[in-house]
Amino acid sequence: MPKKTVVPVPKSLDEAAQFLAKIGEEQRVADIIQSNFNTEVDKLKAQAMVDFRPHQKKVSQLVEGLFAFAEANRDELTDGGKRKTVEVPTGTFGWRMTPPAVSLHDVKSILKSLKALKLERFIRTKEEVDKEAMLKEPDVAKIVKGVSIGQREEFVARPAVLEVEIATQVDKLKKVAA
């Protein structure tokens, strides 16, 4: 069974104020550590991109050259179109067709056209529960099996030195305190 950590508890409003100040200090340190970490990650990403670009450029050039060769010799390499893939000791190269794909531009106009042409079979209607409507009528919504409307209490600490607040679910805090 894991040992419970003893959590200090303020004994007065003054001590509570000190706790809040300490929360601000600790959060500030945590934010600085996170910020430094993010800065280092950004530097590493930038350096990786610098290191990556010449290799990617070389790969692109090699692929372009291989394609030029393959296109110029396509008939011979594919036995007159009987094969699409060319095997060599170091790998394969060749041609392939991608699966058909639909691309749409100006969906509103397309929907109008489909309706006008009586092609509704190309229109999908998505049915979903309207949670916002349920929140407006919670007593009615609760009678439906499977629907529950929840709300939780949070304990909020907002040190003056920070522009953010630290919110924790009260239920979780109660479990820790128990």
Side-chain angles (χ1 to χ4, degrees):
M1 192 164 173
K3 269 188 169 178
K4 284 190 177 181
T5 305
V6 178
V7 177
V9 176
K11 292 167 185 53
S12 67
L13 195 54
D14 284 340
E15 277 192 32
Q18 291 172 2
F19 268 58
L20 202 50
K22 188 67 175 167
I23 289 169
E25 291 171 21
E26 293 295 332
Q27 189 62 50
R28 245 195 337 252
V29 171
D31 289 348
I32 289 168
I33 292 168
Q34 184 67 48
S35 176
N36 290 342
F37 169 77
N38 290 341
T39 299
E40 289 302 313
V41 167
D42 289 343
K43 285 180 190 175
L44 287 169
K45 283 181 180 177
Q47 185 59 51
M49 287 306 296
V50 167
D51 295 345
F52 168 82
R53 280 189 188 104
H55 297 287
Q56 188 60 40
K57 184 176 180 182
K58 186 65 177 172
V59 166
S60 293
Q61 291 170 344
L62 290 166
V63 168
E64 286 177 31
L66 180 61
F67 175 74
F69 165 79
E71 237 354 76
N73 298 285
R74 187 172 186 163
D75 196 49
E76 179 185 336
L77 293 169
T78 62
D79 292 331
K82 293 178 188 170
R83 299 183 302 140
K84 291 183 180 281
T85 304
V86 179
E87 291 184 37
V88 294
T90 56
T92 62
F93 62 91
W95 299 260
R96 70 173 172 217
M97 294 298 290
T98 62
V102 175
S103 53
L104 307 173
H105 306 285
D106 191 9
V107 174
K108 286 183 180 178
S109 173
I110 293 170
L111 286 169
K112 269 186 186 176
S113 297
L114 288 171
K115 288 174 186 174
L117 296 168
K118 303 215 183 297
L119 294 173
E120 283 88 359
R121 66 183 179 276
F122 293 138
I123 300 174
R124 180 182 302 158
T125 303
K126 185 177 178 184
E127 204 171 293
E128 60 187 8
V129 176
D130 186 346
K131 292 180 181 180
E132 291 81 18
M134 288 184 157
L135 287 172
K136 290 176 186 171
E137 298 181 63
D139 294 335
V140 176
K142 285 182 195 176
I143 65 171
V144 178
K145 185 179 179 181
V147 174
S148 62
I149 297 181
Q151 192 171 20
R152 65 177 190 256
E153 184 179 22
E154 290 184 334
F155 178 75
V156 180
R158 186 184 313 205
V161 296
L162 296 178
E163 291 184 24
V164 296
E165 65 184 26
I166 299 161
T168 307
Q169 287 183 38
V170 168
D171 291 348
K172 288 184 180 181
L173 289 170
K174 285 181 180 177
K175 286 178 187 174
V176 171

